């Protein structure tokens, strides 16, 4: 108590001690997200998108509309006779995009000639081989000597365009998606939605979803929302799930509608706006690809599709080592019975030696 019971002003020392105690309790790891963010922005991001489907469904126009760029400046359009004799090719277009200081290296993998021939038997094989080649290259790079600057050319998403003029999925659509659904994230697209009425779009979406389930096709599955997410995000996520397949319209032409300049298509009966959710699912598709699920597409590619390929390669190498051991020592006389882990280790060491030799020869 103060002497003689007199008040001598507020006591500030305990407040300073409390602030000092709080500073001591603050370690600083709460800034880790900021550190990761700065490092990621400095390094930049990459994303590989594949588009597949027969010619004339608006694949090139949609890609240009999605990323506000022109990736097909030097493309040569083939006439009908040249398209009949054309085989399926794989073409890559890479462009560096920057938005608000964030750099994105976008790679578009196109498949010209797909579905254009009279006989389309196994025309998807070259597409599947290309995806496997990118997995193989990444597997070799991460197993080599220099692992600092590995380029990720794995295909993170495949937009498969479905013709609006059929009654659901064609046999070619089913075979393509079944051949690739365990290698890449497939997102089905109902092309040229402006050729259909809203009722027809709704019926075709239901029919395509029904056939996808009937044939056991595994398309990209949107992750479930956490329980603590807000209601707006949950509603947006549910709308994306209900929109499969995305009914889209592509256009790089700016037209005037009700005093506004919008991207769309001008018809005698009116204007179709590309970025109007009441006209098509273009905005939903763009939001899914770029704003909400791009990282999840990359995560599923790395954690599921690539890991399946990697496990298959290691199992193949293990069988090769066991077969070589059996050939060398025979089935009846085996000096030592190796455990599965030791066999796997021997296979991995032999693969690393081979990869190092190949890398050394290439450099």
């Amino acid at each position: 108590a103060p002497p003689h019971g007199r008040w001598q002003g507020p006591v500030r020392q305990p407040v300073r001690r409390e602030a000092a105690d709080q500073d001591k309790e603050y370690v600083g790891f709460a800034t880790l997200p900021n550190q990761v963010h700065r490092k990621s922005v400095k390094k930049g991001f990459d994303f590989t998108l594949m588009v597949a489907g027969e010619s004339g469904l608006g694949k090139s126009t949609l890609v240009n509309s999605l990323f506000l760029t022109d990736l097909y400046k030097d493309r040569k359009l083939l006439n009908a006779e040249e398209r009949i004799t054309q085989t399926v090719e794989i073409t890559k277009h890479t462009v560096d995009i920057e938005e608000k200081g964030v750099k994105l290296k976008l790679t578009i993998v196109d498949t010209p000639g797909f579905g254009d021939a009279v006989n389309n038997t196994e025309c998807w094989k070259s597409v599947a081989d290309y995806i496997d080649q990118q997995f193989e290259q990444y597997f070799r790079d991460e197993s080599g000597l220099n692992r600092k600057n590995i380029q990720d050319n794995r295909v993170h998403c495949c937009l498969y365009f479905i013709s609006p003029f059929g009654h659901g999925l064609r046999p070619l659509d089913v075979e393509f998606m079944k051949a690739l659904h365990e290698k890449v994230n497939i997102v089905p697209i109902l092309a040229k939605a402006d050729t259909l009425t809203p009722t027809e779009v709704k019926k075709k979406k239901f029919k395509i979803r029904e056939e996808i389930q009937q044939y056991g096709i595994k398309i990209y599955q949107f992750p479930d929302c956490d329980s603590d997410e807000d209601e707006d995000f949950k509603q947006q996520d549910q709308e994306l799930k209900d929109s499969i397949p995305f009914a889209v319209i592509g256009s790089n032409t700016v037209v005037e509608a009700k005093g506004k300049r919008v991207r769309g298509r001008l018809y005698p009966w009116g204007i179709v706006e590309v970025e109007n959710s009441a006209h098509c699912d273009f905005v939903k598709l763009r939001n899914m690809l770029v704003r909400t699920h791009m990282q999840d597409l990359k995560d599923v590619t790395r954690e599921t599709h690539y890991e399946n390929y990697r496990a298959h390669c290691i199992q193949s190498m293990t069988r090769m080592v066991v077969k070589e051991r059996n050939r060398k020592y025979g089935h009846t006389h085996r000096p030592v019975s190796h455990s599965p882990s030791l066999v796997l280790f021997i296979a991995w060491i032999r693969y690393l030696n081979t990869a190092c030799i190949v890398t050394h020869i290439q450099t």
Side-chain angles (χ1 to χ4, degrees), residues 291-316:
R291 298 185 181 182
T292 59
H293 290 78
M294 177 179 284
Q295 187 58 47
D296 186 68
L297 288 166
K298 298 178 67 174
D299 292 342
V300 173
T301 300
R302 182 186 70 252
E303 299 170 3
T304 302
H305 300 301
Y306 173 69
E307 284 301 318
N308 291 340
Y309 173 86
R310 181 174 175 273
H312 177 73
C313 287
I314 294 177
Q315 290 174 358
S316 300

Side-chain angles (χ1 to χ4, degrees), residues 239-255:
E239 289 178 357
L240 287 177
K241 294 177 180 179
D242 295 338
S243 298
I244 295 292
F246 293 100
V248 299
I249 303 168
S251 176
N252 297 320
T253 305
V254 178
V255 297

